[in-house]
Amino acid sequence: MKKLSPLIEQRADPYIYKHTDGYYYFTASVPAYDGIELRRAKTIQALATAETVMVWRKPSEGDYSELIWAPEIHFNMGAWYVYFAAAPSREIKFDLFQHRMYAISCSDANPLTGEWTFEGKIDSGIDAFCLDATTFTHNNELYYVWAQKELDVRGNSNLMIAKMETPTKLATKPVRLSKPEYDWEIQGFWVNEGPSIVKHGSRIFISYSGSATDERYAMGILWAEQSADLLDPASWTKSVEPVLVSEPSEKVFGPGHNSFTVDEEGNDMLVYHARNYTEIEGDPLWDPNRHTYVKKLRWDETGMPIFGSPAFEE
């Protein structure tokens, strides 16, 4: 086995997207949480040294002026979109931050040099803490998956899904697919967040992260048949056990908030962040050393993903 090193240091919630132009596009939460940074390269490895461009900065005040979290870049319906979460302040109310979901768009071919437009808030239909939006297309329909606080459900956030009318407007009411319930999902905080989608064989998978953002952070997975009604919670099966956890012996802690991409040969790749120590002073959110890792995602003979260790390339 090959020991993994971080691809990009101090970039949490990493998202890598390979576009039809042959470029890989990368974005992530930056340590200052003050804007949206993009980079692109012809290979995954080259993202490590690629030029970084801050394409959007938060305003000094207003509803989306603090804590820019977990941006993702997507190409939907002929244009670029970055989905992200932001808050009006750093104040915690009702035991939660005040994040809501927003988007910016760009119609130019190169999103690093193009002009970006602020599209405003994406209304989830529930006026409460929400974040970590991702999108995917299935059977020519655009879907939105995100983490959402529901006032009548214990915990910080649940996983929700809806169809989209446009890249910034939901077409259906939100449907809950998962809530924190297993022991590994409720360490420190009751959390389901950071969803990401990958398809393989006859199935579609949603990975997600649970628990506090320290060494207890871990990843789980849901799956459904691609032929099923994806808006029906009964279509989805949830793994009881986590699929990616800390590797203390190798000093890789809190792997999670992942995304999926493909390598230059078209093989599925797992992208995630992790720290290399546990001694965090204060709130883990203000510790900048969550680093981006990338490794191959393996599949077993039944068509299920093998995540393996966050410290090694198997």
Side-chain angles (χ1 to χ4, degrees):
M1 293 190 297
K2 174 188 174 184
K3 179 71 182 292
L4 290 168
S5 298
L7 176 71
I8 302 172
E9 295 189 347
Q10 295 195 340
R11 290 297 181 269
D13 315 319
Y15 191 85
I16 297 177
Y17 165 67
K18 187 178 186 183
H19 191 46
T20 53
D21 61 4
Y23 280 96
Y24 288 92
Y25 291 84
F26 175 85
T27 189
S29 297
V30 297
Y33 302 135
D34 60 348
I36 295 170
E37 176 191 273
L38 298 179
R39 62 180 79 183
R40 76 172 188 169
K42 283 290 189 177
T43 68
I44 293 174
Q45 194 61 43
L47 288 171
T49 54
E51 175 191 10
T52 62
V53 179
M54 189 71 78
V55 299
W56 183 85
R57 289 189 181 273
K58 70 178 184 63
S60 59
E61 60 183 12
D63 290 345
Y64 46 95
S65 59
E66 280 287 359
L67 302 176
I68 309 305
W69 285 357
E72 290 195 5
I73 183 167
H74 295 260
F75 193 80
N76 289 332
M77 299 183 181
W80 296 100
Y81 290 86
V82 172
Y83 301 94
F84 64 96
S89 72
R90 298 186 177 186
E91 182 183 1
I92 292 177
K93 291 185 176 180
F94 308 111
D95 298 323
L96 290 168
F97 286 104
Q98 303 171 64
H99 285 74
R100 300 296 188 270
M101 300 176 294
Y102 298 88
I104 58 175
S105 69
C106 174
S107 297
D108 298 288
N110 183 352
L112 277 70
T113 58
E115 181 178 344
W116 285 88
T117 300
F118 180 69
E119 295 286 348
K121 184 169 74 172
I122 296 183
D123 184 3
S124 73
I126 304 172
D127 188 19
F129 174 76
C130 53
L131 72 171
D132 294 353
T134 192
T135 66
F136 69 97
T137 299
H138 187 62
N139 293 336
N140 297 315
E141 292 187 289
L142 187 62
Y143 288 81
Y144 193 71
V145 182
W146 72 101
Q148 174 77 59
K149 169 63 179 176
E150 293 178 273
L151 299 180
D152 59 344
V153 178
R154 180 178 179 178
N156 289 41
S157 57
N158 309 318
L159 297 183
M160 314 295 286
I161 189 171
K163 286 184 182 180
M164 303 195 84
E165 179 179 324
T166 72
T168 58
K169 183 180 179 182
L170 302 191
T172 61
K173 292 182 178 180
V175 173
R176 185 199 317 137
L177 295 184
S178 176
K179 66 180 181 180
E181 56 190 317
Y182 300 129
D183 182 66
W184 73 267
E185 300 175 296
I186 60 174
Q187 300 298 310
F189 296 101
W190 292 50
V191 172
N192 280 182
E193 66 180 16
S196 189
I197 286 83
V198 63
K199 299 177 185 180
H200 182 80
S202 66
R203 299 187 183 109
I204 183 167
F205 298 86
I206 299 178
S207 63
Y208 67 97
S209 299
S211 292
T213 58
D214 54 20
E215 70 271 16
R216 296 170 290 184
Y217 207 50
M219 278 174 47
I221 199 162
L222 309 169
W223 65 92
E225 291 297 317
Q226 292 199 39
S227 58
D229 177 3
L230 302 186
L231 298 186
D232 181 358
S235 298
W236 294 88
T237 301
K238 179 178 177 178
S239 175
V240 175
E241 300 296 331
V243 296
L244 195 70
V245 299
S246 292
E247 187 79 73
S249 64
E250 299 296 333
K251 296 185 172 8
V252 179
F253 299 103
H257 202 117
N258 80 292
S259 59
F260 299 100
T261 189
V262 294
D263 67 10
E264 292 77 10
E265 287 75 45
N267 301 303
D268 292 313
M269 303 294 288
L270 173 67
V271 186
Y272 55 98
H273 73 231
R275 289 189 182 88
N276 57 15
Y277 56 84
T278 61
E279 299 78 18
I280 301 168
E281 294 184 10
D283 192 321
L285 287 171
W286 309 118
D287 179 285
N289 293 310
R290 291 181 288 176
H291 307 317
T292 295
Y293 289 78
V294 181
K295 61 175 287 186
K296 284 187 178 180
L297 182 68
R298 308 290 184 178
W299 300 92
D300 69 18
E301 64 277 2
T302 70
M304 295 297 290
I306 303 171
F307 288 82
S309 164
F312 292 101
E313 183 78 78
E314 288 83 4

